[in-house]
Amino acid sequence: MHKESAIREPLILGHKTYHDITEDVCRSIEGKAPKAWYVLFGIALLLGLYGVGCILYLLGTGIGTWGLNKTVQWAWDITNFVWWVGIGHAGTLISAVLLLFRQKWRMAINRAAEAMTIFAVFMAGLFPLIHMGRLWVGYWVMPIPNQFGSLWVNFNSPLLWDVFAITTYLSVGFVFWYIGLIPDFATIRDRAKNPVSKKMYSILSFGWSGRAKHWNRFEIVSLVLAGLATPLVFSVHSIVSFDFATSVIPGWHTTIFPPYFVAGAVFSGFAMVQTIMLIVRKGLKLEAYLHVKHIEYMNIVIMVTGSIVGVAYLTELFMSWYSGVEYESYAFINRATGPYWWAYASMMTCNVVSPQLMWFKKLRRSLLFTFFISIVVNIGMWFERFVIIVTSLHQDYLPSSWSMFHPTWTDIGIYIGTIGLFFVFYLAFARYFPILPIAELKTILKSSGESYKNDTAPVRPKTAPVVNTFVPTDEPIEEVVETIESTLDHVEEKATELSDDEKQHKISSLIEKLGVGNADQKDDLKVISGVGPKLEETLNGIGIFTFEQVSKMTKEEYDLLDSITGTFPGRAERDDWAEQAKNLMNK
Amino acid sequence: MGTNRKYWKGLDELNETPEFVASTKNEFAQELSVDQFLAEDKLSESSTGRRDFLKFLGFSVAAATVAACEAPVVKAVPYVVKPEDITPGVANWYASSYYDGETYASILVKTREGRPIHIKGNKNNGFTKGGTNPRIVGSVLSLYDGERLQEPQNNGATSDWATIDAAIIKQLKATVAAGKKVALLSNTVISPSTLEIIREFKANIGGGISDSVNQEGAIEDLSMVSTDNGNIEHIQYDAISYNGMREANLESFGKAVIPDYDFSKAKTIVSVGADFMNSWVLPTQFLGDYVKMRNPEADEMSRHFQFESNMSMTGSNADYRSMIKPSEQGKVLALLLKEVGGASVAGLSTEGLASEVIENIKAAGIALKASKGKSIVVAGSNRKSIQVIVNAINSALNNYEGTINLNTPIELHKSEDAKMAQLVKDMQAGKIGALISWDTNPVYSYGDTEGFKAGIAKVGLSVSMAKYADETASLFQYICPDSHALETWNDFNPKLGHYSLAQPTIRPLHNTRPAAESLMIWAGLASHVGKNSTNYHDYIQGTWQKWGFTMQTEYLDFYSYWSAMVHNSCGTDMFATPTAVPFAGNLAAAGKAESAITTGEWEIAFYQKAGIASGIHANNPWLQELPDPISKVTWDNYVTMSPEDMKAQGFAMELGQVEEQNVVSVKVGDRSIDLPVYPQPGQAAKTIGIAFGYGRGEGGEAIGKSAYQQEGIYGQASKTMIGANAFKLAVGGVTEAFEASIADTGNKYILACTQTHATVMARNSIMKETTFDIYKKEESAAYNHRHTLHTGWNHDEKLTEEFDLWEEHPVEVVGHRWAMTIDLNLCVGCGSCVVACGSENNVPVVGKDEVKRGREMHWLRIDRYYASEIEATVGTRNPEEFEAEGFGGLQNPGSNPKVAYMPMLCHHCNHAPCETVCPVAATTHSNEGLNQMTYNRCIGTRYCANNCPYKVRRFNWFNYPSYRKFTEVNPAQDDLGRMVLNPDVVVRTRGVMEKCSFCVQKIQTGKLVAKKAERPVVDGDVSTACSDVCPSNAITFGDWNDNESLIRKSTEEKRAYQALEEIGIKPNIWYKVKVRNEENEELAAIQTAHGSHGGDEHGEEDHATLDTGSHVDETETNNGH
C-alpha cells in the first residue's frame, strides 16, 4: 500500500472510516435538501429562465439585439464563450493531469470540478451556437455528407478547429466524469430505499457489481481516458486562442496566445473550483475531506498560473514595443490608455496583482480570503477576454472604422442567464450526484486519512474501562485527538493483549458507529425486550452502555454485533432493539 | 425464318369465344359505370365506414393545406405579347436629362422589364459629360415613393381630372374676368416648351376653350395670339437664390445672367465660400472640369485657394484653405482685388484679417496674376456687393475672355427675390385672385412662412401642381399632381446654346399628369387624355420642329433629327465664345454695403449637404442615410462649430453611440431654431454652419416616410422632424447671417455618425499624400514607399508581395483578374458612388437608430481623414513632433486641417483573411480574383468581418426587408418601393454577411456581351456601379490580366499603391497617391529625406515595422517553401 510521509498534512481529517465516507457523501442525496438549497436553486432557475428568454428573443429577432456593430462583430458572445471554456478547464486538468501525476489531493475536488467543467462547457458551447446569424443552418460546420454537391467545411478555419476541439473536449470530459461516477452510483443504488431512485441509480450505474473484474476495467479505462484527456487540456484552449492568433488583427495576431490562454484557463478554472467548493464544503459539511490543505494547493496553482498570465501580459507589451509595428504598438497603448482603459486596469489588477498575494501563507490558507480572490480572478479573466476581443477590434487598422461597443440588455441577460443555468445544473448535481468520489476517496483513507496516519484510527480498546477513560466532550476534534494521543500507549498495551485482531477491529468499528458510551451513566439495557442480564454484560463488554448507542443500530450494526458475539444471530434485528431503545430514551 | 407462334392476351382470345369476337369489334371498351359501381352489393361490405372516409378526407385536406403553407405564392406573370424592346433579364438604357429645379445633368436611366432602377451620368452626351451627384443618382427611388400623390385632390379629398379641370378653368376665367391677378409660382423653368406653354397660358387664359377643339389645331391657332394679359404673372422662386449674382452681373456688365465658368482651363482658382463641387450653380459641370486640371501627370496642375467659414466639400479639396468669417468676405475680396492690381474698394477697410488669411490672399494674388485669363475667382454669397467685387477681380484678370463666359449664360437659378416678396404682399393684400404653384415649396423654404401662409388664405383659387401634399401644397384647394420626371417627356435649356430632352422610362404609375400638360389643358391647348396622353410630347416635338430642327443642318428630315435627339438626349452644343465686357460695377457702393455690415457674437454660413441640398429630396432614404462628405453624419442637420469654440462654450465634443451633443438654440432676429452642435475642425472661429434642407414636414405632412425620424429601438416610425429648418433663419434668400446668438437649451441629442474618429493616425500605408513639386522632382520612393522584408541567410530585401504563406490563387496568369484603382487625387468625396452602389446592389437602408449603432450597410463608403497638428499632411507624421507627443498627438485633427478622402470597399484580396477563417467556406476566391460571398452558405459567425483589415464587410443584423423598424424608414422595402430593386442582385436575408462584389452581375453581363460578339473582353465592357457613376473619374476598373487595359497601366503608375500592403493580403485594389499643389516644406523635408536616404528617422520607423515585426515569421515561412 502507498505510504505517505507523516509530515505531510493528512487529506482526510478526523476518524473517518470507509463507511463514514459513504455516509458523508450520500447524506445530501438521501436526506432532505436544506432550505438554502431551494432558495439558491430558485434564484439560479429564475436567472436561467431570464437568460433563456433573452436567447429566444435573440433568435427570434436577430443578432442586432446585441450591441455589436460593423467594427466590433464579436464582443460579449465570444468573451463569454472563452470565459466559460476557460472555467471548464480545471476539471480535466484535475482529473487527468493530476491523476497522471498521482496528486492524491485532487480526489477531494475532482468530481465537483469535472461536473463544473461539463456544465461550463455546456454554457460555453451555447455562445458559438447562438452567436451565429443563422443558427438553423449551424450544422453546416460539421463535416457531414450532404446533398449540396461538393460542399464541405473549410479546414483552414480556426473556428472549425474550435468545433472539433470543443466537442471532443466535451465528450471525453463527459465520459471521464461519468465513468468515475459509476461505482458511486452503484453505492447509492445499493443504499437506496425508494424504489424509484433505486431504479434510476441502477440505470445510471450500468449494472456495476463491484467485482474485481469491474474494478480492473474501471482502473484501465480511467487511466486510458486520463491519457486521452491530458492533451485535450492543452489543445482546447490553444485552439480557442487560434481563433485570435491566426487572424491579422493587431492585438489578436500574437504567437504567445496558446500557452497564455491555457495558463489563463487553468487560472480561472481553479478559481471557479474554489468558489464552488467553498460553498459546497460548507453546505454539505465536507470539511473533513476538503480542508485548508486542499485550498492551499489550489491557491498555489492559481498563484503559479496567475504569474504565467502576468508574464504573458508583460511579454505582449514588450513585443508590441519591440516589434516596432505601429498597429501593434497602438493596439496595446490603446488597451492601456484608450477608452477601454478601465477594462485593462481591471484585468491587470484582478489577474496580475491578486494572485501574487498568495505568496503569503496566511492569506492562501484563509478560506474567506480565498473565496474573495477566487471571484476576483474570474472577474479579471472575464475582462481579459473582453480586452482581447473588444479592444483589439474596436480600433484596428483603419481609423475611419473605429468604434465602441455598448452592451444591450440582451447581451447582459444572456450572460447572467448562463450563470443561472450553470448553477441550476450544479445545484441539481450537488443534490443528486455524489459530489465526492466515494470509491476513490476510500483508496486514500488509509494512507492520507488523518487518524490512520498517526495511527489513531478508530482502533477501539477491547474492554470498557479503557474506553471509559475517554471523557465525552464537546471539545473540538483537535483536542479529542490530543486526548486520544495521550492515552495512546495505554491503548496499545491493551491492544496487544487481544487475541483476536479481527474481532477487536469489528468492535471498534461498531463503537465508531454507535459512539463511545459512558459506563457511569449506563442505562438498564435489560429493559429492552430480548436483552437479558448475560447479553447486557456482553454488550457492556463491547462498550455499549446506553440506549442512545443502541438506538443508532441498523442492519449493518446488528450483523456486526452478531459476528462479534457469535450468539443470537438475527435476534437483535427481529426484536428491533433500535426502535425500542429510541422509545425508551424518550421516556 | 417464319414463325407460327401466336401471342394471346387471355383464354378468351386463345379460344376465340363469341363474346370475345364481339368485343373486338367495339373499339372502346365500356367503362364500369358509376351507377353500376354504386349498385354493387359488396360496396356496403367495405370495411371503410362513412366516418372513416370523412376522417381520411379531412386529413387529406388538412395535409394538403399544411403542405401549401410551406412556401409563399410568388406571382410571376409572363408577357402574353412580349414588348419589342424588352428582353427579360436584359437591361435597357435610356438617355435622358435630369432637372429638379436646382441641378441639371445629362443622364442614363437603366430599366429592367420596364422599370427604371438606376441612374448614372451620361458620359457621351451633353456638357455635363457624366457629371452627377448623389441627388441625381438617388432620385430614381422617389419614383416609387408610396406617399407621392396618386390622384388629383380637391381640398384633401380624392377627385378626378375632369371635375378639377372644369372647376379650375371656370374659376380662372372668373378671376380674370373680375380683373384680379393670377399668379403662376414655380421654381426656375428651363424647359423651352413649358415656357412657351406658360406664354400661351398667359395669353389665352382669358379666352374661351371648347372641348371639341382639335389639339393640333389648338396649338396652331392659339399660338398666334400673343397678347399678354398683364394680370397673369409667372414668378420664378427658388429655395436657393442667386438673385444677388444676377443683379451684380447686370450692374457690372449689363446682363442679369449667371455666366458659364470653365474650370477645365483655370490654372488658379480662388473661391470665397463657393462650394462649386457640391452645390454652387452647376456642380455637375464644374466638378468634371475642375478635375481635368488636377492630373499630376500633366505639366501643370491647377492651384486652388479657398476662403470660407464652414469646412465645405470644395474647401476640403483645396490646396490652400483659409478660415474667414462670412462678414470678412468683402475684405478678403477687396484685398485680393488690390493684390491683382485692380482698383481699391473705397470705404472698405481690409484691416482685421488674420495674418494666415492675408498670407494666402497674397499667395493667391501672385498665382492669379501669373495666370491671367486662365483663372477663376468665385464667391458663394448671394450678396450683390460681394459679387460685384468678384466681377471686378475677374475683370482685372481678363477672365471674361477666357474662363468665364458671359455670352453663354447658365439658365438655372432665376429666382426673382423682389417679385416673390411682392407676390407675398399682394397675396396678403388680397390682390391675388388665383395662385398656381408648381414644384416649389415656399411654405418650407421662404423665410417669411407665416406671411406666405396668411397670403394663401386670402387667395381665391389656389392650385398646386406638386408631387406631394407637402407643406405648401397641403394648404391649397386643388392639387393636380405632377408626374415624376421619369414618367414624362420634357425638354431643357440649361445653358444658352444647349437644348436637351428628357424621355419617360415608365408609364405613369399613378393617375398623375405632367404640370405642363395641366397648364396646356387649362389654357385650352389640349384636353385631358389620361395615362396615355401624348399632349406634352407632341407639344415638345412641335417646339423642337419649329426651333431646334430649323437651327441645325446635320439632319435633313425632322424624324431622323428627333430620333437622334431622343437617342442622345440632346443636340449639338452651340455655345458662344467668351468676349471681354468692360466692367461697370459700382465698387464704392459695394464697399459701402460691405462695411455697413454689423456683426453679432456669432455669424452663420448656411450651406447645402451633398445628399439633401435644399430639401427637395428629404424623403429619399438613400440620401438621408448618405453620410455628409465632411461630417459623416446621417439623417440630421446640426450646427457646425469649431472645437475651440465648443470647448470655450463647454459643449460635448465626443461623437458616438451614446455620446450626446448639446442642443443649442440659434437665434437670428426674432427667429430661432434648435439644433445639436457638431465639432467641425476647420470651422472659422465664432462662426457656425447650418445646412438647409432639413426640418421638412413640420406639420406632419405626407411627404414620404423617410422624411421623418424613426424612433425607439424596435418601434414604429413616428412623425418626428429630421433636423430643423434653417430657412427660417435665412429670410430673403441670404446665404449668411451676421448677427446670430446661441444659447444652450440644456437638451441633449445623439447624432448618427458613420465615422467617429477624425484622423488617420499618420498611418502611412493607408493614406499617402505628396505635393506636386515633390511628385515631379523625386523618385517614387519619396512619396510611395514600398514595404520590403528580409529573407534568407543573406537578408535579401524583397517586396512583401513576393511572400506567400499559402499557395497563391492562380489569378495572375489565367483568365481575368478584376482589379480597381482609385485615384485619391481625383476623389472629392461627393458620395455619388455610395448611392449608386446602394442602388445597383440593393443595399438596405437601416435608419438613424441603426447608423448610430454603427450598423450602416453601405458596401462602399468614403473615409474622410483630417490631418492632425503633428502630421505634415494626412498620413505623414512629423517624426520630431511625434516623438514629443506620441499617439495622443495624432488623435485630434488640427484647427484648419488638410482633408483627404478614401473610398473604401472590399479589396478582393488574393490572400483574403476573410476567406481562411470562414468555417463553412461561404466566402471564397474566384478564379477571376473576386472574393465571393455565397449568401446561401453563410451561417453568420461574423469571423470574416472581424478579420477584415479594411472593415468593409456588413452583417444583416435583422431581416431588413420585412422588419417594421426598417420598412417604416425605407420605401425600397415596401411593396411599391421594391420595384426599384435590381433583379440581378439578391436581397440578403437576416444573419448573413454581405459586401462589395465588384458588381459581379455587371462583370458577367460584360463578359456575355464580349462572348456574343466573339471577342475578348476589352476595356469598357465591364464596369462597376461606382466606377460608372464617379463624376471625377477617380475609379478605374477592368481586367488586370489584359496587358493593354487601362487598369493594368493604372496599377503600374508611380503613384499606385495598395493600402496595408505589408499585411501580405494582396488586394485587387490600388490607390493612387494624392497630390496637392501646395508648398509644404515640412512634408518635403520628410519625403525627400526618406526618398534619397531611406534610413533617416522617419524611414527607420517604417523599416523597423518590417525588419523586426514580421521579419522573423516571414523569413521562416519563406525558407519553408
Side-chain angles (χ1 to χ4, degrees), chain A residues 323 325, chain B residues 789 1062 1104-1115:
Chain A
S323 71
V325 179
Chain B
L789 294 170
E1062 71 270 32
T1105 306
L1106 306 154
D1107 293 355
T1108 52
S1110 342
H1111 163 215
V1112 180
D1113 298 356
E1114 296 286 353
T1115 311

Side-chain angles (χ1 to χ4, degrees), chain A residues 59-325:
Chain A
L59 297 181
T61 308
I63 301 295
T65 52
W66 280 342
L68 303 170
N69 57 51
K70 65 184 178 198
T71 312
V72 183
Q73 306 234 4
W74 281 352
W76 279 44
D77 46 357
I78 303 300
T79 300
N80 295 341
F81 160 66
V82 182
W83 188 69
W84 276 120
V85 173
I87 286 173
H89 235 80
T92 323
L93 183 93
I94 290 164
S95 52
V97 179
L98 297 188
L99 173 75
L100 294 183
F101 283 98
R102 296 177 191 270
Q103 295 297 305
K104 302 286 183 189
W105 59 273
R106 71 181 182 88
M107 286 178 191
I109 50 168
N110 75 339
R111 172 69 44 76
E114 281 172 46
M116 181 198 78
T117 291
I118 308 282
F119 302 143
V121 176
F122 278 164
M123 295 307 118
L126 192 62
F127 284 99
L129 285 179
I130 60 170
H131 103 296
M132 279 191 273
R134 300 201 296 163
L135 173 62
W136 46 97
V137 292
Y139 68 94
W140 287 348
V141 296
M142 304 306 278
I144 43 173
N146 57 56
Q147 71 274 51
F148 309 123
S150 58
L151 267 182
W152 203 234
V153 291
N154 177 11
F155 288 101
N156 284 338
S157 169
L159 217 54
L160 188 76
W161 312 338
D162 246 8
V163 173
F164 299 145
I166 300 289
T167 46
T168 311
Y169 186 68
L170 183 61
S171 40
V172 172
F174 183 79
V175 171
F176 201 5
W177 176 65
Y178 196 84
I179 296 278
L181 274 167
I182 287 176
D184 296 352
F185 278 142
T187 307
I188 303 169
R189 172 199 64 195
D190 294 345
R191 290 164 54 94
K193 294 199 180 71
N194 179 338
V196 178
S197 57
K198 201 172 190 81
K199 186 80 197 158
M200 289 305 298
Y201 285 110
S202 92
I203 291 170
L204 287 172
S205 60
F206 281 7
W208 176 271
S209 68
R211 277 181 295 167
K213 199 155 195 176
H214 279 183
W215 280 110
N216 181 18
R217 285 176 182 155
F218 174 84
E219 293 288 333
I220 291 171
V221 167
S222 295
L223 210 61
V224 168
L225 280 176
L228 269 177
T230 303
L232 289 180
V233 176
F234 302 98
S235 76
V236 175
H237 235 58
S238 296
I239 287 172
V240 168
S241 80
F242 289 165
D243 283 347
F244 308 109
T246 63
S247 77
V248 300
I249 302 301
W252 281 16
H253 180 66
T254 313
T255 44
I256 199 176
F257 268 9
Y260 149 31
F261 265 52
V262 171
V266 172
F267 182 51
S268 69
F270 267 87
M272 195 59 152
V273 172
Q274 296 274 44
T275 313
I276 289 177
M277 288 315 281
L278 285 171
I279 299 170
V280 166
R281 173 182 185 272
K282 192 89 187 157
L284 300 184
K285 300 188 175 60
L286 300 174
E287 286 90 345
Y289 305 97
L290 182 71
H291 51 93
V292 178
K293 187 66 199 169
H294 296 90
I295 303 295
E296 190 183 5
Y297 278 140
M298 287 196 272
N299 277 338
I300 290 171
V301 174
I302 286 177
M303 185 178 79
V304 171
T305 50
S307 302
I308 296 175
V309 168
V311 169
Y313 292 163
L314 298 179
T315 312
E316 270 189 327
L317 280 180
F318 170 76
M319 285 311 294
S320 76
W321 166 76
Y322 181 69
S323 71
V325 179

